[in-house]
Amino acid sequence: MRGLYIGRFQPYHLGHQSVLLEISKEMDEIVIAIGSAQESHTPENPFTAGERAEMIYAALEQGDLRNRCYVIPIQDINRNSVWVSHLQSMVPSFDVVYSNNPLVVRLFSEAGVDVRSPPMYQRDLFSGTAIRNLMQKGGDWRSLVPGAVASLITRIGGVERLACVSRSDTSTQFIL
Ligand code: ATP
Ligand code: MG
């Protein structure tokens, strides 16, 4: 059986990792779809699809899980009614979708796909939004992502990028 797990992974965090480990117990293979793949360098979507794929592969390094996963970027089409078939045209076939996102659950259910919603893993702590806020405030975001992801974000200057794309050109920091 093959499962599909979809997210934006801005960034990939330990909540995602825990869900993925649970899915890996139920499925032989997992398709990890990186949504809003065209987005990057914005406060809500700081990382490119390629960087997000690197985060996921880096986090999957241990064990056989990596060999059982496909990581595939999916661009938005901004047309929810045909989004499921758009996604299906871009990924290997799958039997079950795992998601907690209400819109994603709704769209796959209406398309007749088997959808499972895994239990949330400390959602107050492990959320992309909370982690991006901590990055902005100089808080401890590193403990909320896999170690390899923290290293990658540091290597590519992710925190500085997020700070930069969140500033406006009326900021007094630039006198231009
Ligand atoms: P953002 O706040 O940027 O939306 P996110 O943490 O919701 O980030 P997504 O990439 O949007 O991350 O989520 C992908 C999938 O992972 C969604 O189905 C989401 O509900 C799920 N997910 C996110 N955090 C957790 C968590 N702590 N435990 C279980 N599932 C989670
Ligand atoms: Mg989300």
Side-chain angles (χ1 to χ4, degrees), residues 54-65:
E54 272 196 71
M55 289 178 201
I56 295 167
Y57 281 121
L60 294 181
E61 203 152 37
Q62 306 93 343
D64 75 326
L65 188 52

Side-chain angles (χ1 to χ4, degrees), residues 29-143:
E29 292 190 322
I30 306 169
V31 178
I32 304 170
I34 301 179
S36 301
Q38 81 287 352
E39 295 282 344
S40 76
H41 296 79
T42 72
E44 284 74 40
N45 292 289
F47 304 109
T48 68
E51 288 164 346
R52 290 176 268 161
E54 272 196 71
M55 289 178 201
I56 295 167
Y57 281 121
L60 294 181
E61 203 152 37
Q62 306 93 343
D64 75 326
L65 188 52
R66 188 179 173 145
N67 300 327
R68 296 196 280 130
C69 287
Y70 301 79
V71 179
I72 300 185
I74 305 289
Q75 290 198 21
D76 289 331
I77 52 166
N78 298 314
R79 219 175 137 191
N80 290 337
S81 62
V82 289
W83 178 74
V84 168
S85 50
H86 163 67
L87 181 136
Q88 283 169 327
S89 75
M90 308 294 281
V91 302
S93 63
F94 52 87
D95 305 287
V96 184
V97 175
Y98 292 85
S99 180
N100 281 304
N101 182 293
L103 174 64
V104 172
V105 171
R106 179 80 201 178
L107 294 177
F108 278 110
S109 304
E110 286 188 13
V113 177
D114 181 5
V115 185
R116 296 182 197 167
S117 294
M120 280 292 178
Y121 177 69
Q122 298 181 48
R123 179 62 164 162
D124 49 335
L125 218 52
F126 298 105
S127 100
T129 303
I131 290 168
R132 292 192 302 277
N133 282 336
L134 284 172
M135 287 175 162
Q136 296 263 33
K137 289 192 264 175
D140 178 24
W141 58 271
R142 296 181 144 263
S143 63

